[in-house]
Amino acid sequence: MTRITSVSLRRVLDSRGNPTVEADVLTESGGFGRGAAPSGASTGEYEAIELPASESIAKAREHAVPRLEGVYAGDQRAVDNALRGADGTDDFSAIGANSAVAISMAAAKAAADVLGAPLYQHLGGAFRGENFPIPLGNVVGGGEHAKEATHIQEFLAAPVGAPSVSEAVFANAAVHAAVADVLDERGVPAAKGDEGAWAPPISDADAFEVVDEAVDRVEDEVGFEIRFGLDMAAAELYDDDAEAYVYGDETKSADEQIEYVAGLVDEYDLAYVEDPLDENDYEAFAELTDRVGDRTLICGDDLFVTNVERLQDGIDAGAANSILIKPNQIGTLSDAFDAVELAARNGYETVISHRSGETEDTTIAHLAVATDAGYIKTGTVGGERTAKLNELVRIADDAV
Ligand code: PGA
Ligand code: ZN
């Protein structure tokens, strides 16, 4: 029933205007699924390899498509094993993780289509009322996503007290709007970065004040708790030669960075801190987790790259207490599920995430529900971001 009869691949635009890979999978009973690969800008050193879209498509057509024809789309492991077999490397450098992830997601959707079930149900999940994934919404940012803005890559609204998905989603949009008001009152002009967050030319210290103020205002309006968090993307701040984190003219040693972040967690009651330290420094991650892990999430993105071996190293070292899951960092949905399972078995929270270069694909909304993730990071505004948020709202409304 779900046997794959064809896989077609094409180049489509991502949100930065770059080419990315879109895959269509058809099954013998007429099931159809479409998936598109996202793309990072502040990519981790250990991520699976994204090839230029045309090259990835040509290689996947030659090596992967023939192997996929006849495989059951409903057997995700078989689809993903066929992709791995066709590629033959550990990091998808032969066919590109962009084609791999697009096909992996498209096959899952085709199988769900055959069953007439929403993707999250096919992936083994259920929407559990109040226990929805809390959306982390990027409201101010800089780093690799916007030049001349903050050094810290992302300031994220975290509506931890929201009674429903819908209220959480709208709260984040309200914080985004409130940030614009606060910046306007301060006479600060702001463009937007790659993920739709405001990218004002202000210091990190000022950004903390602005976001704190915006969150307070919206919290008063909506009447439930909103906190905020950060993606520091510290591997991008870290200079290997200087062995220091570089903030413009200032630098911080690893110890100073730990001190700085621990101070921020307490001063701003941060709910979440992603990649506060370099992707190679498990030890520093462990030290920070030891200090503040009882009151905030310390999340590994570039640190773990959705890779079970790197996550196991982190678990052994006590580094971080949560993991960011980006299917394109590892190349298949099965690999992403393996990382989620290993995290769950070891008490690590999971955060399903978009990339800075995105498409209208909504798979991550389903993945967050299917895996019972505590959080989902999707941005706040902009069509490629609201595609996921609106899909979450539909899932909660049982309308997908
Ligand atoms: P990227 O950034 O998609 O550009 O890698 C997102 C992140 O670091 O979480
Ligand atoms: Zn990150």
Side-chain angles (χ1 to χ4, degrees):
M1 287 249 300
T2 69
R3 229 184 254 270
I4 293 173
T5 50
S6 87
V7 178
S8 42
L9 298 165
R10 68 183 65 84
R11 286 189 337 148
V12 294
L13 287 166
D14 78 6
S15 54
R16 278 191 276 257
N18 293 328
T20 189
V21 180
E22 180 173 88
D24 288 356
V25 167
L26 275 175
T27 73
E28 61 188 353
S29 58
F32 170 75
R34 174 170 288 161
S39 174
S42 80
T43 46
E45 193 180 328
Y46 303 102
E47 291 194 22
I49 304 298
E50 174 189 322
L51 295 177
S54 310
E55 186 184 340
S56 179
I57 288 170
K59 296 269 176 60
R61 276 187 188 140
E62 185 185 345
H63 301 291
V65 173
R67 284 190 184 230
L68 287 160
E69 285 164 358
V71 174
Y72 286 100
D75 184 348
Q76 192 69 40
R77 294 267 164 200
V79 170
D80 294 340
N81 286 340
L83 287 166
R84 287 237 168 250
D87 181 86
T89 70
D90 282 345
D91 58 5
F92 275 113
S93 50
I95 65 168
N98 33 348
S99 281
V101 80
I103 294 169
S104 182
M105 297 191 301
K109 290 189 197 176
D113 188 38
V114 171
L115 298 170
L119 180 60
Y120 71 89
Q121 280 180 11
H122 167 59
L123 294 176
F127 189 76
R128 298 187 306 122
E130 287 168 18
N131 294 320
F132 54 86
I134 296 168
L136 294 170
N138 188 356
V139 292
V140 169
E144 292 298 303
H145 296 165
K147 300 290 169 216
E148 311 303 329
T150 53
H151 296 297
I152 291 178
Q153 183 177 286
E154 300 167 27
F155 291 75
L156 302 150
V160 293
S164 70
V165 161
S166 166
E167 282 159 284
V169 164
F170 280 90
N172 283 356
V175 174
H176 188 271
V179 165
D181 292 343
V182 176
L183 289 172
D184 194 43
E185 286 157 23
R186 294 176 174 220
V188 179
K192 284 184 191 167
D194 285 355
E195 295 180 357
W198 298 110
I202 57 177
S203 66
D204 290 2
D206 285 348
F208 276 100
E209 277 183 28
V210 168
V211 174
D212 203 30
E213 170 68 28
V215 163
D216 279 352
R217 286 186 194 179
V218 177
E219 203 171 34
D220 286 348
E221 255 170 55
V222 297
F224 54 76
E225 188 183 11
I226 304 175
R227 288 162 72 188
F228 72 101
L230 306 172
D231 180 1
M232 300 189 74
E236 303 291 339
L237 300 171
Y238 191 71
D239 182 328
D240 284 306
D241 297 328
E243 295 190 354
Y245 296 86
V246 180
Y247 294 80
D249 299 335
E250 272 179 50
T251 60
K252 293 186 201 296
S253 67
D255 283 346
E256 287 165 344
Q257 178 78 356
I258 291 170
E259 206 56 50
Y260 173 52
V261 178
L264 292 171
V265 167
D266 288 336
E267 187 173 355
Y268 295 100
D269 189 25
L270 299 178
Y272 177 83
V273 188
E274 180 180 325
D275 282 349
L277 293 148
D278 182 56
E279 61 205 333
N280 292 306
D281 202 344
Y282 281 94
E283 214 175 290
F285 260 96
E287 197 179 322
L288 180 65
T289 308
D290 194 42
R291 276 182 65 169
V292 298
D294 60 337
R295 51 193 180 276
T296 194
L297 289 175
I298 299 295
C299 185
D301 169 15
D302 294 345
L303 180 70
F304 296 141
V305 293
T306 317
N307 180 314
V308 288
E309 283 164 28
R310 292 191 60 86
L311 175 59
Q312 187 62 58
D313 289 345
I315 291 164
D316 294 343
N321 55 17
S322 59
I323 177 173
L324 205 72
I325 300 291
K326 292 169 165 171
N328 83 318
Q329 276 182 330
I330 193 72
T332 73
L333 282 181
S334 300
D335 287 297
F337 267 91
D338 289 346
V340 170
E341 266 170 36
L342 181 61
R345 276 205 305 277
N346 289 277
Y348 274 50
E349 183 61 273
T350 43
V351 183
I352 309 292
S353 175
H354 66 165
R355 302 303 305 246
S356 52
E358 265 296 341
T359 71
E360 305 84 346
D361 190 289
T362 60
T363 305
I364 60 165
H366 289 266
L367 191 56
V369 172
T371 58
D372 243 343
Y375 296 83
I376 179 169
K377 203 171 95 156
T378 64
T380 308
V381 296
E384 71 283 4
R385 317 291 154 188
T386 55
K388 284 83 168 157
L389 295 168
N390 289 338
E391 188 74 351
L392 260 187
V393 170
R394 289 182 206 109
I395 291 171
D397 202 26
D398 201 14
V400 289

